[in-house]
Amino acid sequence: MNDKFSSLWLDYKPLFPGFTGRAAIRCPSRVDRQGAAVSELITALKAMLPAAELTFGADSAGLIFELDIGDFLDVEEYMISADERGAAVIGGSERGLMYGVFAYLREIRTAGSLVRMNKRVRPALGLRMLDHWDNADGTVERGYSGSSFFFREGKLVVDERTEMYARLIASAGINAAAINNVNVRGDAVRLIAEENLPGLARLSELFSRWGIALYLSIDFSAPISVGGMRTADPLDPAVGYWWSNKARELWKAAPGLGGFLVKADSEGQPGPYAYGRDHADGANMLARAVKPFGGRIIWRAFVYNCTQDWRDERTDRACAGYRTFAPLDGHFDANVILQVKNGPMDFQVREPVHPLFGAMRHTALAAEFQLAQEYTGQQLHVCCLLPMFREILMWNTACDIQPGRVIDRIQAAAAVANTGDSFCWTGSELAGANLYGFGRLTFEPQLTAEDIIDEWISLTFGSSERVREALLQILLGSHRAYEGYTAPLGLGWLCKPGTHYGPDPWGYEFDRWGTYNRADREAVGVDRSRTGYTSLYPEPLRELYSDPEKCPDELLLFFCRVKYTHVLHSGKTVIQHIYDSHFDGYAEAEEFARLWDSIESELDPAVYDNGRRRFKEQLRSAGEWRDVINAFFHRLSGVPDEQGRKLY
Ligand code: GCV
């Protein structure tokens, strides 16, 4: 395991190196002096005012930083009033105070001075969570940032990196983390067994200090695999009893536990179906076991038939989550949260918003995003997902409950983490924007993606205007570019099966996963009115998506099957759009690499070098995508490029 790590956006630099006066922290006894808020403020002030005399509580003629807790605020809410002489930060609890301190530090660091400000902020969502797909053997499923820092050879690790991790994500506003893969395999099955209680206790204590609830992905069949029972039937009272005892044991050792995350009856994971029960039976049995301890069950809605017959044109994977869970609306206990992927498929570069967000009226929902860029370049390609995440959160479900945006319909947001034991945590420094931004966006979704990226650049790379402009241009344009040179117009799954990296337009065709583009000589795309998928949306979305003349260009081939000569709203034909977007996307990637080179002198040499190697691979891969996909559609359609470019 790599023990060296960067402090990323928490790398406090001297702000006023020449300030030799006094700086005092004042707080009443109701504020915990050993708590995260006070300790972070001390760490930051020592680094930012290296020559100041830092005092605690005493009167001071210099700068004054007052911290307090006010029960008129919500637990995670904070207020800041500040000017050139210091600041007063009040939180609704230690947690709120910690968020207030982080917010204040962020403001003065991005401004480069002590600022005058008045602010009162409450997070938009109560649960802002990271899901790590770390395995107990130290590997990370869909991990592109090195090995796990939570597990080494089957054992839990709690060390300085864990502390830094907690500070980093807390500073971004994240308040929960599931540390192990939802595919619970190998030694991870026994994570809830007695031998792991001391490790879990240490980890949950560390997390709690930073306001983070520890979640565990569990094996639904643990009564068998861990408990030695003969069944895991959720309606068998002995099974419920086993889970209740297990929960008691876990919460006694680790009171900071938040609950369990469950992938059941999906891609080979065990679940209630084996006993003829449904997902509500499974989730509620666990919910009852954890309820006395304030625990929650996060139950994933990623359930579909992954052994489909490709010739069956009626069965559509996109419909599966809806058809499984919509009939169960209202059947889940109050401490169950149904975690729904942002789209109906699986984190493709472009998907429609999942219809369950508009449909589930009586079920608590979490939106699940993926920071790990499984289908979006695996952190070798720069692909900033924040504009897309924000668009999804602000998307109007058109349901008849108002307000009806996704952000109004959910109680929580979770993201598959993109971290590992690489020095910069996310393999690529630029992928750090996704990690930071997910927390900030789910805390304050009124911020734009540009606001957040700008803030992240300043905290991570400093105040150079050239760096700021170059990185903003790269990050803000990166998703559009990636979509352009890979899978435009809502066409997903053009990637290689298994690894999900690089082009293979027939890789997922004619297979069992139910993920097709159905391209032939005449036409391309899936007619999702025929499969019944468009009917899962209310009007006016249903009509919008069903009609190729109305459907938004960027989703056309997801929803409709059209001829290559079909004319888009943009005025181009489908085939010409495919060619152009591949050439344009590649040109944008070239421009990103050039911009990165243009700021070389302002970057740390190791950071520049890491980026340069990744941009080189991005360009190689983007060229491959452009050529393979253009050649594929050119050969199928026989339509030449209007500009006469070589299509290979
Ligand atoms: C953890 C996709 C990924 C799998 C992942 C799964 C999920 O299928 O390729 O690696 O498994 O999603 O979200 O459960």
Side-chain angles (χ1 to χ4, degrees):
M1 190 188 292
N2 182 5
D3 293 327
K4 296 212 164 45
F5 51 85
S6 153
S7 36
L8 299 179
W9 53 84
L10 291 184
D11 185 14
Y12 298 120
K13 295 266 169 30
L15 200 55
F16 311 109
F19 179 83
T20 52
R22 279 189 178 172
I25 298 177
R26 286 192 197 154
C27 50
S29 58
R30 57 181 164 265
V31 173
D32 179 2
R33 291 195 176 195
Q34 313 305 320
V38 173
S39 91
E40 191 67 24
L41 187 60
I42 294 175
T43 306
L45 291 180
K46 279 187 179 160
M48 296 194 312
L49 310 170
E53 185 191 338
L54 195 59
T55 62
F56 220 105
D59 275 346
S60 161
L63 306 174
I64 299 174
F65 301 95
E66 291 184 79
L67 305 186
D68 202 352
I69 289 175
D71 54 17
F72 61 98
L73 296 171
D74 278 359
V75 275
E76 294 195 312
E77 191 175 13
Y78 63 82
M79 265 173 62
I80 305 172
S81 77
D83 61 23
E84 306 71 26
R85 290 163 303 158
V89 183
I90 307 176
S93 67
E94 278 292 328
R95 259 194 292 160
L97 186 60
M98 174 191 74
Y99 291 132
V101 166
F102 277 126
Y104 175 63
L105 294 171
R106 200 158 57 221
E107 295 276 350
I108 59 176
R109 288 173 67 214
T110 50
S113 64
L114 294 183
V115 281
R116 187 172 280 269
M117 61 183 282
N118 277 298
K119 212 174 198 191
R120 179 170 175 173
V121 179
R122 191 175 52 173
L125 296 173
L127 191 67
R128 309 168 299 278
M129 176 163 180
L130 286 180
D131 291 355
H132 292 267
W133 286 356
D134 292 26
N135 300 313
D137 64 3
T139 57
V140 180
E141 180 155 346
R142 310 302 177 187
Y144 313 104
S145 308
S147 304
S148 169
F149 50 80
F150 287 122
F151 299 98
R152 186 191 291 144
E153 292 165 11
K155 297 268 171 310
L156 254 178
V157 179
V158 184
D159 61 11
E160 281 171 30
R161 199 189 246 271
T162 331
E163 175 92 28
M164 189 70 222
Y165 162 83
R167 271 180 69 208
L168 282 167
I169 67 166
S171 72
I174 288 177
N175 67 359
I179 56 165
N180 63 308
N181 190 357
V182 287
N183 290 327
V184 188
R185 302 188 189 107
D187 290 340
V189 170
R190 295 193 60 79
L191 191 55
I192 56 171
E194 211 181 330
E195 67 265 23
N196 283 309
L197 295 181
L200 292 174
R202 277 203 307 284
L203 184 58
S204 93
E205 197 185 333
L206 187 159
F207 272 15
S208 296
R209 184 170 142 76
W210 296 96
I212 301 162
L214 170 63
Y215 278 75
L216 304 175
S217 296
I218 52 127
D219 168 19
F220 188 80
S221 62
I224 303 170
S225 58
V226 180
M229 293 174 64
R230 293 174 58 177
T231 178
D233 180 352
L235 296 194
D236 183 325
V239 169
Y241 183 70
W242 187 86
W243 278 110
S244 293
N245 282 336
K246 180 49 72 185
R248 186 171 316 110
E249 182 183 289
L250 284 166
W251 262 269
K252 184 163 179 246
L257 268 183
F260 300 147
L261 171 62
V262 194
K263 171 174 177 176
D265 287 315
S266 167
E267 299 184 333
Q269 289 296 295
Y273 285 171
Y275 309 97
R277 316 299 183 198
D278 66 25
H279 285 271
D281 295 329
N284 292 342
M285 178 274 294
L286 290 170
R288 284 193 286 272
V290 302
K291 190 172 172 218
F293 317 102
R296 284 171 165 146
I297 299 302
I298 318 267
W299 191 269
R300 294 179 87 227
F302 183 63
V303 176
Y304 67 102
N305 171 8
C306 61
T307 54
Q308 208 178 300
D309 182 339
W310 65 270
R311 290 161 300 193
D312 166 8
E313 291 191 11
R314 297 278 171 177
T315 305
D316 181 3
R317 171 172 169 179
C319 299
Y322 187 103
R323 297 234 161 101
T324 306
F325 288 96
L328 296 177
D329 190 22
H331 295 205
F332 291 99
D333 285 6
N335 59 334
V336 175
I337 298 182
L338 186 68
Q339 184 164 293
V340 180
K341 285 192 182 185
N342 62 266
M345 301 300 264
D346 191 12
F347 304 133
Q348 300 301 290
V349 67
R350 174 83 59 179
E351 289 185 35
V353 174
H354 206 300
L356 276 176
F357 292 119
M360 303 292 278
R361 284 134 199 279
H362 310 288
T363 306
L365 296 174
E368 180 176 337
F369 299 96
Q370 192 185 45
L371 306 175
Q373 297 166 234
E374 176 180 356
Y375 297 93
T376 49
Q378 307 196 348
Q379 285 142 245
L380 290 167
H381 298 227
V382 59
C383 189
C384 178
L385 299 161
L386 302 174
M388 178 177 96
F389 292 171
R390 188 167 191 280
E391 205 178 299
I392 293 167
L393 289 172
M394 296 301 155
W395 186 81
N396 197 327
T397 62
C399 71
D400 54 11
I401 302 172
Q402 291 310 321
R405 297 170 309 173
V406 172
I407 188 77
D408 308 314
R409 307 280 308 114
I410 58 179
Q411 282 67 40
V416 179
N418 56 355
T419 53
D421 72 347
S422 66
F423 178 73
C424 71
W425 300 83
T426 51
S428 148
E429 272 80 5
L430 295 183
N434 285 332
L435 179 64
Y436 178 81
F438 170 73
R440 294 286 290 122
L441 186 62
T442 51
F443 205 100
E444 289 183 72
Q446 62 277 18
L447 296 171
T448 65
E450 183 167 351
D451 293 335
I452 295 173
I453 297 168
D454 203 5
E455 180 181 291
W456 172 81
I457 293 171
S458 154
L459 298 175
T460 311
F461 288 88
S463 58
S464 155
E465 195 50 34
R466 273 183 62 220
V467 171
R468 175 176 173 266
E469 276 175 19
L471 295 187
L472 263 180
Q473 197 179 325
I474 294 173
L475 290 166
L476 282 171
S478 58
H479 181 262
R480 187 193 52 233
Y482 187 84
E483 180 177 21
Y485 65 71
T486 59
L489 301 175
L491 269 181
W493 308 101
L494 298 179
C495 59
K496 294 199 172 107
T499 63
H500 299 162
Y501 190 78
D504 185 356
W506 255 330
Y508 271 112
E509 221 55 19
F510 320 115
D511 85 337
R512 68 182 182 90
W513 293 92
T515 48
Y516 315 114
N517 55 60
R518 305 250 183 234
D520 65 17
R521 291 171 57 176
E522 300 296 328
V524 57
V526 181
D527 182 351
R528 290 211 147 90
S529 301
R530 231 178 129 216
T531 69
Y533 179 72
T534 51
S535 71
L536 308 183
Y537 291 93
E539 292 294 9
L541 293 174
R542 187 181 304 171
E543 191 190 331
L544 182 77
Y545 291 150
S546 308
D547 183 347
E549 298 306 324
K550 295 190 180 138
C551 187
D553 288 350
E554 69 270 18
L555 284 169
L556 180 68
L557 302 183
F558 185 92
F559 281 112
C560 305
R561 178 163 182 76
V562 294
K563 295 212 157 123
Y564 292 107
T565 49
H566 174 89
V567 179
L568 299 168
H569 299 291
S570 69
K572 286 184 187 182
T573 60
V574 162
I575 190 70
Q576 194 57 41
H577 179 98
I578 291 176
Y579 298 151
D580 288 351
S581 75
H582 282 85
F583 285 107
D584 295 349
Y586 180 84
E588 282 179 78
E590 268 183 320
E591 176 62 5
F592 299 155
R594 194 197 62 73
L595 282 166
W596 185 254
D597 282 346
S598 76
I599 54 171
E600 175 181 358
S601 61
E602 308 219 28
L603 298 175
D604 172 280
V607 171
Y608 167 72
D609 225 52
N610 187 24
R612 189 186 51 84
R613 274 184 279 115
R614 285 168 199 270
F615 278 117
K616 195 169 166 214
E617 167 53 20
Q618 177 170 0
L619 270 184
R620 185 209 59 77
S621 172
E624 187 187 2
W625 270 99
R626 177 198 58 202
D627 296 341
V628 170
I629 302 300
N630 280 347
F632 174 79
F633 283 109
H634 180 229
R635 285 180 197 169
L636 268 180
S637 69
V639 181
D641 172 35
E642 278 170 6
Q643 296 190 43
R645 291 164 294 197
K646 192 160 180 210
L647 299 173
Y648 292 89

